[in-house]
Amino acid sequence: MKPFDYQRAHSLADASGRMGDAASIIAGGTNLLDLMKIQVMTPSRVIDISRLPGMDRIEPHGDGLRIGALVTNTTLATDARIRAGWPVLSRAILAGASAQIRNKATTGGNLLQRTRCPYFYDTAMACNKRAPGTGCSAQGGSGRMLALFGTSDDCLAAHPSDMAVGLAVLGAEVEIRASSGDTRTLPVTQLYTLPGNRPDIETGLEKGDIITAVILPAPRIGTRQTYRKVRDRASYAFALVSVAAVLKMDGDTIAEAALAFGGVAPRPWTDAAVNGLLTGKRPEPATFERAAAHLVPDTAPHPDTAFKRPLLRRTLIATLREASGLAGQVDTARNAPSGAPQ
């Protein structure tokens, strides 16, 4: 462990003023402390904002909710308002990490957690995200957790958050306080930057910026919401592929569709064209196949992630069947006794 200064901020202005090139904000610390122990992150100053008042509340905001950046993942996932109006968010959070980590991890920290690419975690390996200009060991290396979309020659890493995928499909925004005291909002999907030739720049946050809250829009009344996560084991594992879906049905037609994908890109991945291929269509296998065919790339950027192509296709189709109600209809017919009407 390299030595560092621990400083407790007394206000957001105080926290912003203490930030510099070698400083890191700490709240729950579930990701930062792990990275400090293996010297992947070596801040000279750690600024604790965990005791700042008012940032651990979930409050009405117009027709939606304002979720403070210090609200824990457990509090957010189990809040009755979230479970009733935005259930896909609750399901996404509960699919991530362990109960102990969710009890400590915060909303703001979850959004800013770092990739789980094995080369990022191994300081003996070249990694442009960890040490710009050193190269990308994943190129020509091995890695099942790498991305399918949004990669570059300099980085193949995927973003690990389940919660961010749930927020993205709901059209949530991130509230950011600048060092000047001004506040701005960004859609969750625009918080993150694609790697290009600077994988070390992961977000659009500027020096002194602090995430203060997440803003949820009005609940999607009458929608069916679900989150499906495929991983190597049933608990405490990051997604190989995940799909968040919000569908609104009008009789036997999909009136509205919103999808977001995790484990496959450097940020929660969305594709408006896929939503468009579903909207106004009947929820039937051919419709789902067309949407999946449009989404899934023809090739994978790394040979070890080629398996994610059919996995993403099947996961998307299964999620759409569940959200549209088609799965229950098909399963009922399949399980009917021999000779029974179908």
Side-chain angles (χ1 to χ4, degrees), residues 1-337:
M1 177 73 73
K2 292 188 176 182
F4 62 91
D5 291 331
Y6 169 84
Q7 301 175 357
R8 184 178 298 175
H10 303 293
S11 66
L12 283 170
D14 181 36
S16 291
R18 295 173 186 265
M19 292 179 68
D21 294 337
S24 291
I25 293 287
I26 187 169
T30 56
N31 188 211
L32 175 63
L33 293 179
D34 285 343
L35 293 174
M36 290 175 66
K37 290 174 184 177
I38 59 177
Q39 298 188 12
V40 169
M41 293 183 68
T42 56
S44 61
R45 185 185 310 118
V46 173
I47 305 160
D48 186 352
I49 66 169
S50 63
R51 293 169 176 82
L52 294 185
M55 293 181 63
D56 59 350
R57 301 173 185 166
I58 304 175
E59 301 171 315
H61 184 86
D63 293 330
L65 292 176
R66 182 181 184 274
I67 303 162
L70 296 182
V71 172
T72 67
N73 287 178
T74 295
T75 298
L76 182 56
T78 57
D79 185 276
R81 292 164 294 181
I82 297 295
R83 297 179 68 178
W86 302 267
V88 66
L89 177 58
S90 178
R91 293 178 183 181
I93 294 171
L94 293 175
S98 64
Q100 293 86 348
I101 290 177
R102 292 195 299 269
N103 288 342
K104 190 69 174 176
T106 62
T107 298
N110 186 297
L111 290 174
L112 297 179
Q113 64 182 297
R114 310 296 299 277
T115 182
R116 265 55 183 191
C117 174
Y119 298 103
F120 174 75
Y121 271 71
D122 188 347
T123 56
M125 295 298 213
C127 174
N128 290 318
K129 186 178 288 292
R130 175 173 28 83
T134 58
C136 177
S137 294
Q139 299 280 5
S142 62
R144 299 174 70 250
M145 303 299 294
L146 303 176
L148 285 178
F149 306 105
T151 62
S152 72
D153 291 340
D154 292 306
C155 187
L156 301 174
H159 192 266
S161 173
D162 291 289
M163 185 190 78
V165 180
L167 290 172
V169 78
L170 292 169
E173 295 185 328
V174 181
E175 180 185 280
I176 301 166
R177 184 193 185 277
S179 57
S180 64
D182 294 335
T183 299
R184 70 185 190 277
T185 58
L186 284 175
V188 166
T189 51
Q190 293 182 23
L191 172 66
Y192 306 101
T193 58
L194 296 180
N197 60 3
R198 288 299 306 272
D200 56 306
I201 302 175
E202 298 178 347
T203 71
L205 297 180
E206 301 174 358
K207 183 177 178 180
D209 282 355
I210 298 176
I211 292 178
T212 51
V214 168
I215 308 299
L216 279 181
R220 307 271 187 90
I221 304 299
T223 60
R224 300 174 179 177
Q225 302 181 19
T226 191
Y227 184 76
R228 184 177 291 252
K229 178 178 180 179
V230 180
R231 45 192 162 176
D232 284 326
R233 58 182 184 274
S235 64
Y236 194 24
F238 296 98
L240 296 169
V241 163
S242 67
V243 180
V246 177
L247 299 185
K248 186 170 186 178
M249 303 300 297
D250 182 7
D252 60 355
T253 302
I254 301 172
E256 299 176 18
L259 298 166
F261 307 92
V264 294
R267 65 186 185 199
W269 195 254
T270 57
D271 190 325
V274 174
N275 298 341
L277 288 171
L278 296 167
T279 303
K281 306 297 192 302
R282 290 175 58 88
E284 53 192 17
T287 300
F288 300 159
E289 287 284 359
R290 282 193 294 270
H294 180 88
L295 173 70
V296 177
D298 293 333
T299 59
H302 189 286
D304 284 358
T305 56
F307 79 98
K308 285 192 175 186
R309 294 177 58 251
L311 182 62
L312 178 58
R313 171 188 165 275
R314 293 167 185 163
T315 305
L316 172 56
I317 291 172
T319 305
L320 291 172
R321 289 180 60 210
E322 177 185 351
S324 66
L326 182 63
Q329 297 172 22
V330 173
D331 292 342
T332 299
R334 183 179 299 159
N335 296 326

